[in-house]
Amino acid sequence: MKTRVLILVALLSTSLWAQDGKLIPQVTVMGEGKIKTVPDLAVLSFGITHTGKEANEVKKANDQALDKVIKFIKKFGIATTDFQTTQVSLNKNYQYDTKKYTYQATQNLTLTLKDISKYDALVMGLMDNGINTIHQVEFKSTQIEILKSNARKLAIQDAKKKAEDFAGVLNQKIGKALSISDNSQPIYPVMMKRTYANPMLESDAATETLAIGEIEISISVTVSFHLD
């Protein structure tokens, strides 16, 4: 038992000695880089739904509407790689008030619009050709990765400036970076109002039909610099 205690004390002494080694003089700061950009493409999610007493009837109605919508999309100039079906369903539902069954056919699609100026014309055309629900519209930027890279550089520059400010007060200088941590969160569109003219209105006044907003790319880093 005494031997085990002596071994344990020896191990603890070694651990404390290692932790009590010479500390590296350093300064740790957070840096932030922000860039805002206007989206240049939109991703629309929309659907076609029909309800009726017979399964084959509602499916046929949905298929005919979808065929019409797809033909419109192609005629509108959207590439086949920029739209796709995301859900197809045919459900049987019991109606408690009539004590009868009804059927509901649904098909959902997503579409990428690379020219936002055509948004109004696209949406009106989709509605006129058979869709009855627009689930979501998300605005994105094709330059997002380039903007992220630029924001990272701004964040590092911001961290370096802060470290230099701290060290300068102490009449010291910063050396090489000892560690860098990325604390950034996922980037989501930040919607803000934009004004668009509606050509269908006879009035010359601009009508707000789309809140395209801006995307803010925000990068946060934690950097430790050696203090010279």
Side-chain angles (χ1 to χ4, degrees):
M1 181 66 181
K2 185 179 293 184
T3 303
R4 292 182 180 177
V5 172
L6 290 174
I7 293 173
L8 180 60
V9 171
L11 289 173
L12 289 173
S13 299
T14 302
S15 177
L16 291 172
W17 174 259
Q19 292 178 3
D20 196 36
K22 186 178 179 181
L23 295 175
I24 299 175
Q26 60 184 281
V27 56
T28 301
V29 295
M30 290 186 66
E32 191 173 45
K34 290 185 177 181
I35 296 177
K36 290 184 178 182
T37 186
V38 176
D40 57 6
L41 64 82
V43 179
L44 293 80
S45 174
F46 53 89
I48 303 168
T49 300
H50 286 87
T51 302
K53 297 179 180 180
E54 300 293 334
N56 60 335
E57 290 181 0
V58 295
K59 183 181 183 304
K60 182 178 180 180
N62 234 52
D63 290 344
Q64 289 175 342
L66 181 64
D67 179 64
K68 190 176 179 182
V69 166
I70 290 178
K71 286 178 179 177
F72 164 75
I73 291 173
K74 291 180 177 179
K75 186 176 180 181
F76 196 81
I78 305 296
T80 55
T81 54
D82 288 334
F83 67 91
Q84 69 175 146
T85 299
T86 56
Q87 181 189 13
V88 178
S89 65
L90 179 60
N91 298 315
K92 182 179 181 180
N93 302 311
Y94 183 72
Q95 306 299 320
Y96 289 94
D97 53 343
T98 61
K99 301 186 185 308
K100 294 181 179 180
Y101 286 98
T102 60
Y103 296 86
Q104 184 179 71
T106 300
Q107 296 198 51
N108 293 325
L109 298 90
T110 59
L111 180 151
T112 299
L113 178 64
K114 296 179 178 178
D115 185 351
I116 294 183
S117 66
K118 296 180 179 179
Y119 174 85
D120 284 335
L122 174 66
V123 169
M124 294 305 297
L126 290 172
M127 298 297 288
D128 290 343
N129 281 277
I131 76 161
N132 41 35
T133 304
I134 295 180
H135 302 294
Q136 178 178 307
V137 180
E138 183 179 3
F139 299 103
K140 298 182 178 182
S141 172
T142 56
Q143 303 299 309
I144 194 70
E145 293 304 323
I146 295 174
L147 296 172
K148 280 183 183 179
S149 178
N150 292 336
R152 291 187 192 103
K153 294 172 184 177
L154 292 176
I156 293 296
Q157 291 171 1
D158 182 49
K160 183 180 179 182
K161 179 64 171 61
K162 289 178 180 178
E164 289 173 340
D165 288 344
F166 288 132
V169 176
L170 302 173
N171 294 321
Q172 291 181 269
K173 294 181 179 180
I174 63 169
K176 64 180 181 180
L178 301 174
S179 68
I180 302 174
S181 298
D182 187 351
N183 311 317
S184 306
Q185 299 297 317
I187 296 170
Y188 299 102
V190 179
M191 306 309 293
M192 299 172 64
K193 282 190 175 182
R194 294 268 173 186
T195 301
Y196 282 80
N198 188 340
M200 298 180 66
L201 298 179
E202 295 182 1
S203 172
D204 292 332
T207 302
E208 294 182 354
T209 61
L210 185 64
I212 187 174
E214 288 182 325
I215 299 173
E216 182 178 79
I217 296 90
S218 180
I219 300 296
S220 175
V221 296
T222 300
V223 187
S224 293
F225 292 96
H226 189 279
L227 273 176
D228 295 334

